[in-house]
Structure formats: C-alpha cells, structure tokens
Amino acid sequence: MLETIGLARSFGALSVLRDVTLTIAAGERRAVIGPNGAGKTTFFNLLSGEVPPSGGRIRFAGQDVTTKGVAARARMGLARSFQRNSLFADLGVGANLAVAVIEAERQGWSLWRPLNRRADIEGKVAAIAAQIGLADRLEQPVTALSYGAQRQLEVGLALAGRPKLLLLDEPTAGMSPDETQAMERLIAALPRSVTVVIIEHDMDVVFGLADRVTVLDAGTVLAEGTPAEIRASAEVRARYLGGAP
Amino acid sequence: MNADPDRQLRWVLALVLMAAGLAAWASTGYFGRSFLAEIALWAIVAMSLDLLAGFAGLICLGQALFFALGGYAVGILATQFGLGALTATGLAILLGLVAGFLVGAVVVRVGGVFFIMVTLAVGEMLHAFLFTSRKMGASDGLPGIPRANLKALGLNFDDAGTFALVALAAAFLVFVLLDRLAASPFGLVLRALHGNETRLRALGANLWAVKTAVFTLAAGITALAGALFAQLNGFVSPDLAHWTVSGQVLIIVILGGLGSIAGPALGAVVVQVAAHLLAKHTGHWMLVLGALFVAVVMFAPHGLFGLLKAGLARGRGRHA
Ligand SMILES: Nc1ncnc2c1ncn2[C@@H]1O[C@H](COP(=O)(O)OP(=O)(O)O)[C@@H](O)[C@H]1O
Ligand SMILES: [Mg+2]
C-alpha cells in the first residue's frame, strides 16, 4: 500500500529525516513512535505531499507519487489528520464534514442544487458524525466544541473520504482518558480496507492497535517490529520507553 | 444540517430591496429612474465582488478592470463595428469571462496582500491603456453608444423607466444565480477555501481551479454591469477602469456585509444614495463615506447585513 525508499528531508542545515525506508502492507495498522522532534510529523508531511522530500521516493497504491501534489494524493485515497487541529473554524460541525464528503464524492463542482436538498451528502455526513460521536452536534459551530470533540472532528474530516490510507498524527493528544478510549475504539473499528498509520505517544493505544511499530529517532528508523518485539527491544527501551521496568 | 444559515435572511433582504426599487420607480421620473438603474448596476458589481471577496476570501482590488472591459466592449463593438448593442452586450459578457479566466488563472496563484496588489496593478494597466489609446478615445472616452434593441420583447430600452426595470431585473437575476451558487456544494467549498486552504487541499480540492472559476464568473457578471452602464450613459471613459472604482465597490461590499450577497446590494443603495445626497451639500462626501466605512468596520465587522441579523436575533429573543 505504502512504500518509502531512502526518504530524506532537511530544513537548511538541519537534517530532519534521513534514509527512511519502510513498507506498509494493505490493511495494516502501523504505529510510528519516537521522541518529540524525531521527525514523525515531517514524515507525514512528506507522505501527504505537504512538504517535498529532499531525497528518496514514495510509492502509494502502486504508483510513484513522489512528485504528486497534496490534492492529487488525497484524490488517490490518502487522508490525514493534523497534529494541530486544522478545521473550518467559521463553519458548523456538519458543514465541516460536508466539505470533506463533497470533496471525497467529487461534488465540489455541483453548482446548482442546494446542499440542503442533497440527501446523499447529508446521509454520509450523518454517518461520519455518528462514527465520531458528534451526531447530535451537527448544527453547532466548531468553536462551541471542547478540545477533545474538535479532535474527534479532525479525525472525522480525514475519515469522511473513505480513504485507502489514513494517516493520524497524535489523534488522542490532549484528550481526556474517556475521549482517548473512545478514539481508540473508533480506530479499532475501522474496516481492514483502510490502512492506518498512527503517530501516538500513548503506549496503551499503540500496543492496543498496532500490528507493527516503527520507532523513529533523530530522523532515522531506530527499530521496527511487532508490538511484542518493540516492547522487548533493549535499545528502544533505553532510548524511548524510559529504561528497564 | 444547515450549511447556509443566512439564506433565508438574504432572500428577505433581496425581496425588500426589490420592492423598494419598484416603489421608487413608481414614484419618480426620468432622473430618479436613471439613478435607480445606476444603483442596480452597482449592486450587480458589488454582488459579483462579494462572490470573490466574501465567499472565496479573494480580496480583489481590480474589479473595475472588468467593469470597464464590459463598457468599452459595447462601446467599440456598437460604434465602430456596427453591431447591435444587444449582441455587443452578449460579447461583452463573453469577453469578461475570457479576460477573467486569463487574469484569474495567473493572479490566484499569489496569496494574501500580494493578491490585492496584483489585481490593483492589472486594473491600473487597463486604465493607463484606455487613457492613452487613440483608438479607445483616450482621455475623452467613447461617446454615442446606443442602447440595445429590445423591440422583440416589446420593450423600448431608450426609455429611462424601461431601462431601470431591466437593470433591476438583471440585478435580481444575478442575486438568484449567486444565491443558488452559495447554497450549492460549490458554495460551501468556497467558504471552506476562505477558512482553511491547507485543509481543503488535503481533502483533495484543486484550489487553483476553484479560485480561477470564481474569478472568471465574477468577471463575467461585472462585465455585464459595465456593458449596461455604457448603455445607460451613452458613453464610456477611462474613469470606469480607475482603481477608485474598484475601491468604492470593495467598500460597498464590506459595508453591506461580506458573504451575504444581498448585503452588498444594500450597501450599493446606501452608498449611492448617500453620495447623491451628500454631494448636494458638500464636496467632501467621500470623506463622510470614509468615516461611515471606518465606523462600520470597527463596530459592525459583518456590515449592515450583520447588524440586521443581530437586530432580528435580539428582537426574536425579546419575544420568545
Ligand atoms: N518547516 C520546518 N522548518 C524548519 N524546521 C522544521 C520544519 N518542520 C519541522 N522542523 C524541525 O524538524 C524536527 C522534527 O519535527 P517534527 O517532524 O515535527 O517532529 P515530531 O513530529 O516527531 O515531534 C524538529 O526539530 C522541527 O523543529
Ligand atoms: Mg509531531
């Protein structure tokens, strides 16, 4: 589904990612962990096309997408959530989701029939809203939502397009324990037709969801393996999981 | 889900404005009706700029370019190529769309304050050209522009009253068109574009195509207003392309309320009527207008439409 070969990115003299080579199978749940500043978000930015790589290649869904733009990759079925919420702040919750559905359904050039007579779009919005637990808040302005609920909407925008590949950048960051559990259940319930890559600091979430874990450290892949292998790895423990138990 | 919550109010305002226009038409003579026609044409320009500035967030300071283009197209085609003014009007709209596409395709690539500056510069280029071109009548402009022959519709376009009614009808049609557009999926995408380009792009939208499309459409509508303006006055001058025209229309839109369509139409009425009344008493009416503008921007950031909305909400709250 996704393959990176020798992926690299520097900002000026600062080399943020170096030689990241990995393969993620269709339907896999992959967690990417690593300390702050390891380059995880930059890795996502390269995958989604927001930041061009300084070297290496990216293959997605059987195509080399290294030089493709953000929108083109999105239309191929790559969706992401952002580490810092990126919502449409002056639209309501339902309208936020409607934008995502409209783009996913290629209805952005539908110019005449009013949206409130588009039962097809409304139905899909309602379904996503139910999935992310915001079904009864469609009419509310985004600014009326708690931070945790905004985080759910952030993930909802990425889900709305029924993507092939879903990149989630710290979806539970700043959430209460209850909200975190709800988010974990939501991700666990996604069909295996979606490949999920998740950047996450909460190790319970990581070990609960992931088939495989990649550890990024200082811009390189420090380790990769099943959750059990990563938990057992002395090196990862020393560098990241906080020493021996 | 109600993705376009202001739709009802903007219809109410549009219908009230139309009713007021018809009442004014019934109670005035030649000058009043010509003035009414002029207001309707400015309302068209303001609504088309609202599509750009209010919905898509593209603050264009070069709308006079397309206004003048529409006016000069009719002027040249009717006086020098012997085309009927009706055909010339159709071609003027077409020219506006083509020019809008060509200019838009380039300028929408620059963002923020640079977009404002580039649109301003492009407008000024046309002004400079019209001002110096002999063929275009230079600083004198083009006189003797005839009005469209609408006999087939049983209308005498040379009559001030008929012209005013057609201008009002054109303004209403533009409102209906833009209202539908605003309520459509495309309209929601425009507001999303305004709010957060990064996210919209990540959802798969081709921002260049969306921006170029609204720029093109707004240019075509503005060219229609310019074409009618040329016929209303019977002449065009380089003044039509001056950046102060673009500036005044932008003020009208902000005063009326960005993104409300009917609000900018109300803004056109207020500004034109105020200018008319003030010009009688003082040569400094622009100064008064400027002060009014500053007051609105400071105390009513959503313009007259926002005031109306807030007032209604308060009234409803009191009666609830
Ligand atoms: N646009 C940028 N310009 C300069 N430096 C950047 C940019 N984006 C990220 N960095 C730097 O790259 C490093 C990795 O950042 P990031 O990918 O956000 O890490 P993580 O998500 O793992 O915490 C940090 O040192 C950060 O300051
Ligand atoms: Mg990060």
Side-chain angles (χ1 to χ4, degrees):
Chain A
M1 173 59 49
L2 181 74
E3 191 182 355
T4 69
I5 306 142
L7 205 57
R9 172 72 207 197
S10 356
F11 294 104
L14 181 68
S15 170
V16 171
L17 278 183
R18 271 168 288 128
D19 194 30
V20 175
T21 299
L22 51 81
T23 303
I24 297 172
E28 188 179 328
R29 271 79 180 114
R30 171 73 58 104
V32 177
I33 64 174
N36 277 328
K40 304 180 298 295
T41 295
T42 304
F43 180 57
F44 270 18
N45 286 340
L46 295 177
L47 294 181
S48 67
E50 248 108 16
V51 172
S54 347
R57 311 219 60 83
I58 303 166
R59 289 180 63 79
F60 166 56
Q63 277 189 52
D64 189 316
V65 298
T66 314
T67 57
K68 277 203 191 321
V70 175
R73 293 185 209 189
R75 287 195 293 271
M76 286 176 67
L78 187 156
R80 72 171 296 182
S81 75
F82 291 85
Q83 182 174 354
R84 295 187 48 199
N85 285 344
S86 179
L87 306 168
F88 302 108
D90 37 11
L91 301 179
V93 172
N96 264 267
L97 292 171
V99 176
V101 169
I102 286 166
E103 287 305 330
E105 302 290 322
R106 311 283 198 275
Q107 292 297 308
W109 293 99
S110 169
L111 308 169
W112 197 245
R113 204 138 57 90
L115 198 50
N116 58 9
R117 276 185 240 153
R118 293 294 301 265
D120 54 332
I121 293 174
E122 295 212 344
K124 291 195 167 89
V125 166
I128 304 287
Q131 200 179 355
I132 59 175
L134 295 178
D136 51 354
R137 316 193 66 172
L138 289 181
E139 302 296 341
Q140 292 187 2
V142 162
T143 44
L145 298 183
S146 69
Y147 179 78
Q150 290 191 8
R151 211 76 198 117
Q152 285 162 290
L153 182 59
E154 171 70 34
V155 172
L157 288 182
L159 278 177
R162 310 239 161 266
K164 289 188 197 131
L165 173 63
L166 179 62
L167 309 177
L168 299 172
D169 196 345
E170 300 195 22
T172 69
M175 280 186 161
S176 70
D178 282 353
E179 288 168 336
T180 299
Q181 274 190 4
M183 180 61 72
E184 192 179 350
R185 275 198 301 275
L186 163 68
I187 300 168
L190 291 174
R192 283 279 166 173
S193 54
V194 194
T195 307
V196 181
V197 185
I198 176 171
I199 297 174
E200 184 56 67
H201 282 302
D202 186 325
M203 286 306 135
D204 293 335
V205 176
V206 168
F207 291 127
L209 284 173
D211 301 320
R212 295 181 68 77
V213 179
T214 296
V215 185
L216 267 188
D217 185 52
T220 55
V221 177
L222 180 72
E224 188 193 310
T226 62
E229 286 165 357
I230 294 300
R231 219 193 298 249
S233 156
E235 193 181 11
V236 173
R237 224 186 298 198
R239 295 291 290 272
Y240 186 55
L241 295 181
Chain B
M1 153 201 55
N2 185 1
D4 186 10
D6 291 340
R7 192 170 189 205
Q8 213 176 0
L9 182 57
R10 77 175 177 250
W11 262 97
V12 171
L13 179 56
L15 292 174
V16 167
L17 286 175
M18 277 308 284
L22 292 174
W25 184 87
S27 61
T28 52
Y30 176 82
F31 287 107
R33 289 173 177 184
S34 299
F35 185 46
L36 190 63
E38 193 177 332
I39 293 174
L41 299 184
W42 286 117
I44 293 176
V45 183
M47 287 188 285
S48 72
L49 181 59
D50 190 32
L51 176 69
L52 268 184
F55 275 82
L58 297 168
I59 307 294
C60 174
L61 200 44
Q63 211 59 15
L65 168 75
F66 306 107
F67 190 63
L69 206 64
Y72 272 83
V74 169
I76 295 280
L77 291 171
T79 63
Q80 294 180 18
F81 289 81
L83 287 184
L86 189 60
T87 315
T89 302
L91 289 173
I93 297 171
L94 203 63
L95 186 69
L97 290 170
V98 171
F101 176 79
L102 293 177
V103 174
V106 178
V107 300
V108 301
R109 288 184 183 282
V110 293
V113 78
F114 294 104
F115 179 81
I116 303 176
M117 298 314 289
V118 171
T119 52
L120 175 69
V122 177
E124 280 303 277
M125 276 160 59
L126 181 71
H127 180 255
F129 168 73
L130 295 174
F131 202 81
T132 49
S133 164
R134 290 255 124 256
K135 260 203 152 57
M136 299 288 155
S139 59
D140 294 335
L142 299 170
I145 299 172
R147 288 187 183 177
N149 183 343
L150 300 181
K151 295 242 157 51
L153 300 171
L155 297 175
N156 176 13
F157 214 32
D158 288 322
D159 170 58
T162 307
F163 193 98
L165 283 181
V166 171
L168 276 178
F172 191 66
L173 275 178
V174 167
F175 169 78
V176 171
L177 177 79
L178 295 182
D179 166 71
R180 283 298 287 236
L181 211 63
S184 74
F186 181 73
L188 183 60
V189 170
L190 289 186
R191 278 182 288 151
L193 174 80
H194 191 169
N196 187 344
E197 291 198 0
T198 307
R199 174 56 102 163
L200 187 63
R201 193 186 290 115
L203 292 172
N206 181 340
L207 302 193
W208 174 83
V210 173
K211 290 178 180 181
T212 303
V214 280
F215 200 90
T216 303
L217 183 62
I221 296 172
T222 298
L224 162 69
L228 292 174
F229 198 76
Q231 295 168 65
L232 173 67
N233 296 322
F235 84 100
V236 288
S237 77
D239 289 350
L240 298 189
H242 200 255
W243 72 269
T244 50
V245 171
S246 304
Q248 202 185 91
V249 178
L250 193 57
I251 286 179
I252 286 174
V253 173
I254 294 171
L255 191 73
L258 284 161
S260 62
I261 312 175
L266 173 62
V269 176
V270 169
V271 168
Q272 292 301 319
V273 170
H276 187 75
L277 295 178
L278 289 170
K280 274 190 206 160
H281 301 292
T282 162
H284 302 296
W285 67 272
M286 276 299 267
L287 201 70
V288 180
L289 190 64
L292 177 69
F293 178 68
V294 170
V296 165
V297 168
M298 286 183 64
F299 300 109
H302 300 289
L304 298 173
F305 190 86
L307 286 178
L308 209 62
K309 195 169 141 180
L312 283 177
R314 211 172 304 135
R316 223 171 269 156
R318 203 172 300 141
H319 293 297

